[in-house]
């Protein structure tokens, strides 16, 4: 081939590649602009009135206005939210997303290898909506005047104390096992149906400690029925500024939060995921939603998809370590 023909051939290939690229870009833009073509479903793995359900419903109306289509919240309850997460992972209609909690997007497969979905492979992060530390809480008559004294009493009790959680494999469970390792305490685990039942058991004196969400803990603490020991963070939280951090009691490197987030099936087109991420972030950061989320016990994040992906990796490593160390399984 002569130099002239070779140059012409290269030019033609470049034009063709450019045309293909432009066509794909145009197709992606068209796909995003025309989406959604029908109502959007937000699947929630917990019952009506639960924290994830309230969050999903708070976002449904502004999201519907932004998309120009109805947004329907559908509850698929069971298996600590994993039934709903599995339904989202397997959805193929490009109009189904999920409101998830930590475990559904991080440690679910580590806890149960037989699970029908793999959160790290089958779910695509959309946006981290809100975060909250947990409050180490005890009965009102618990020993000690501060966290240092309480933890000293807990160490002295050995395995005679019990702690409650909403179930095996929940963040409340894994988080307490992490706290046990860091604070050198050894209470035994007693699972309950949910956080309200845990609080009731502590008030009755059946449990000596638990990690509770601030919204639930604060109400019982203000009523004089429970005692706040400290929050699972290195600094105090705006959600409960009167409660010291456990770091102040010498429990270092315990930054544990519960969170809620939006995920999509891995099959959902990337331009659609990007649009959803932008919308959820914008809605979350609005003054109205910030106030509503704060009242529900959340500090708003409204991250990008990448921000949520980073959080998923970090929490999988943090919680996965204690799962492996303690051989915790839910199957």
């Amino acid at each position: 081939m002569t130099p002239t023909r070779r140059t012409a051939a290269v030019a033609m290939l470049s034009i063709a590649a450019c045309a293909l690229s432009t066509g794909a870009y145009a197709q992606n833009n068209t796909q995003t602009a025309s989406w959604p073509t029908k109502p959007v479903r937000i699947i929630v793995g917990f019952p009506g009135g639960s924290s994830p359900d309230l969050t999903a419903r708070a976002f449904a109306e502004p999201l519907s206005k932004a998309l120009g289509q109805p947004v329907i919240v559908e509850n698929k309850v069971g298996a600590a939210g994993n039934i709903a997460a599995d339904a989202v992972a397997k959805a193929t209609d490009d109009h189904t997303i999920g409101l998830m909690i930590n475990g559904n997007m991080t440690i679910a497969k580590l806890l149960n290898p037989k699970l029908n979905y793999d959160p790290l492979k089958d779910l695509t992060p959309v946006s981290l909506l809100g975060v909250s530390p947990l409050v180490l809480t005890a009965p009102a008559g618990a020993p000690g005047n501060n966290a240092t004294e309480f933890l000293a009493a807990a160490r002295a009790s050995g395995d005679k104390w019990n702690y409650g959680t909403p179930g095996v494999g929940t963040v409340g469970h894994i988080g307490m096992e992490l706290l046990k390792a860091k604070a050198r305490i050894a209470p035994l685990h007693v699972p309950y149906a949910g956080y309200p039942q845990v609080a009731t058991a502590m008030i009755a004196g059946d449990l000596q400690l638990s990690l509770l969400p601030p919204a639930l803990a604060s109400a019982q603490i203000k009523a004089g029925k429970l005692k706040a020991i400290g929050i699972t963070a290195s600094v105090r939280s705006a959600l409960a500024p009167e409660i010291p951090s456990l770091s102040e009691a010498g429990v270092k490197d315990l930054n544990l939060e519960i969170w809620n987030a939006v995920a999509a099936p891995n099959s959902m087109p990337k331009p659609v995921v990007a649009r959803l991420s932008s919308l959820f972030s914008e809605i979350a950061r609005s003054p109205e939603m910030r106030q509503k989320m704060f009242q529900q016990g959340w500090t708003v994040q409204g991250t990008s998809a990448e921000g949520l992906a980073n959080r998923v990796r970090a929490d999988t490593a943090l919680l996965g370590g204690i799962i492996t160390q303690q051989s915790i399984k839910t199957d």
Side-chain angles (χ1 to χ4, degrees), residues 59-119:
F59 277 83
E61 183 179 352
L63 184 63
S64 176
K65 289 181 179 179
L67 294 174
Q69 284 280 0
V71 175
I72 302 165
V73 176
E74 181 179 334
N75 301 88
K76 286 185 177 292
V77 181
N82 287 325
I83 290 176
D86 182 58
V88 173
K90 290 179 170 55
T92 58
D93 62 354
D94 292 342
H95 286 71
T96 296
I97 56 179
L99 198 291
M100 308 286 179
I101 62 171
N102 305 45
N104 305 142
M105 294 190 69
T106 56
I107 57 175
K109 195 74 172 179
L110 293 174
L111 288 165
N112 183 3
K114 298 178 182 178
L115 207 64
N116 291 326
Y117 79 99
D118 186 332

Side-chain angles (χ1 to χ4, degrees), residues 129-148:
L129 300 182
V131 301
S132 172
L134 291 168
V135 181
L136 180 61
T137 314
N145 296 313
N146 52 49
T148 301

Side-chain angles (χ1 to χ4, degrees), residues 40-64 71-75 97-100 129 260-262 280 283 289 292-293 296 298:
V40 174
R41 286 193 306 162
I42 302 178
I43 297 182
V44 181
F46 301 88
S50 63
S51 183
D53 176 78
L54 292 174
T55 298
R57 294 182 189 280
F59 277 83
E61 183 179 352
L63 184 63
S64 176
V71 175
I72 302 165
V73 176
E74 181 179 334
N75 301 88
I97 56 179
L99 198 291
M100 308 286 179
L129 300 182
N260 53 27
V262 181
F280 270 103
I283 293 168
M289 189 57 72
K292 187 174 292 187
M293 291 283 282
Q296 291 183 10
W298 299 104

Side-chain angles (χ1 to χ4, degrees), residues 96-259:
T96 296
I97 56 179
L99 198 291
M100 308 286 179
I101 62 171
N102 305 45
N104 305 142
M105 294 190 69
T106 56
I107 57 175
K109 195 74 172 179
L110 293 174
L111 288 165
N112 183 3
K114 298 178 182 178
L115 207 64
N116 291 326
Y117 79 99
D118 186 332
L120 302 182
K121 295 179 181 178
D122 301 330
L123 294 174
T124 294
V126 174
S127 180
L128 177 64
L129 300 182
V131 301
S132 172
L134 291 168
V135 181
L136 180 61
T137 314
N145 296 313
N146 52 49
T148 301
E149 293 178 1
F150 175 82
L151 291 173
R155 279 190 286 273
S157 73
D159 61 0
K160 295 178 181 178
W161 282 13
N162 295 324
Y163 75 90
T165 76
V168 175
T170 60
V171 174
H173 175 209
I174 309 303
M176 183 60 81
E177 291 298 316
L178 189 62
L179 175 61
K180 285 170 60 175
K182 289 183 175 295
R184 305 185 310 283
I185 59 176
L188 301 178
H189 180 215
V190 181
Y192 286 79
Y195 278 120
Q197 291 84 354
V198 172
T200 299
M202 259 198 300
I203 292 170
D206 296 331
L207 298 171
Q208 285 69 48
L209 65 166
S210 181
L211 293 174
L212 298 181
L216 175 59
S218 294
Q220 300 298 339
I221 291 164
K222 289 175 182 176
K225 296 179 179 180
L226 293 175
K227 176 191 288 188
I229 306 301
I231 63 168
T232 58
S234 57
V235 296
R236 299 194 182 208
S237 169
L239 294 168
E242 73 282 3
I243 302 176
S245 71
L246 287 172
S247 177
E248 295 175 38
V251 183
K252 301 300 182 182
D253 302 320
L254 182 66
N255 289 297
L256 179 72
E257 293 177 317
I258 53 173
W259 46 258

